Amino acid sequence: AESYYENVRDLGALTGRGEQAEAAIARFEGVLAALRENAPADAAGARFMILFGFDPGAYFTYARGGIFCNLLEENALGVCAVEG
């Protein structure tokens, strides 16, 4: 999560919106805390795939090693099924 926070802070500094960047990080940390609090006890062992599309017939997935998979794994919320 630290590299994500660094990127948000850098963007805030570049745009003169440091306070908004910190507020975004705080909101994100709140969502992550709620996920941890409400996750089932065996969440860490769950395998999942994040699939998304933006054109008809064009779909993509996040693989292990990406920000979303890393955050979920670091917080014992599951493991991405797709290797990166």
Side-chain angles (χ1 to χ4, degrees):
E2 285 308 312
S3 62
Y4 170 74
Y5 297 155
E6 259 182 60
N7 289 340
V8 172
R9 286 185 177 110
D10 288 346
L11 187 59
L14 288 169
T15 59
R17 295 183 175 186
E19 287 183 26
Q20 288 93 335
E22 292 301 326
I25 290 169
R27 284 191 308 273
F28 180 78
E29 288 178 335
V31 169
L32 204 51
L35 283 171
R36 283 191 303 266
E37 184 178 320
N38 292 294
D42 61 350
R47 293 184 64 79
F48 60 89
M49 181 178 357
I50 302 168
L51 182 70
F52 63 98
F54 51 87
D55 285 328
Y59 297 95
F60 300 90
T61 186
Y62 289 102
R64 292 185 79 187
I67 180 90
F68 295 112
C69 293
N70 286 351
L71 284 169
L72 292 171
E73 290 182 33
E74 287 170 9
N75 287 278
L77 295 168
V79 178
C80 278
V82 178
E83 294 294 327

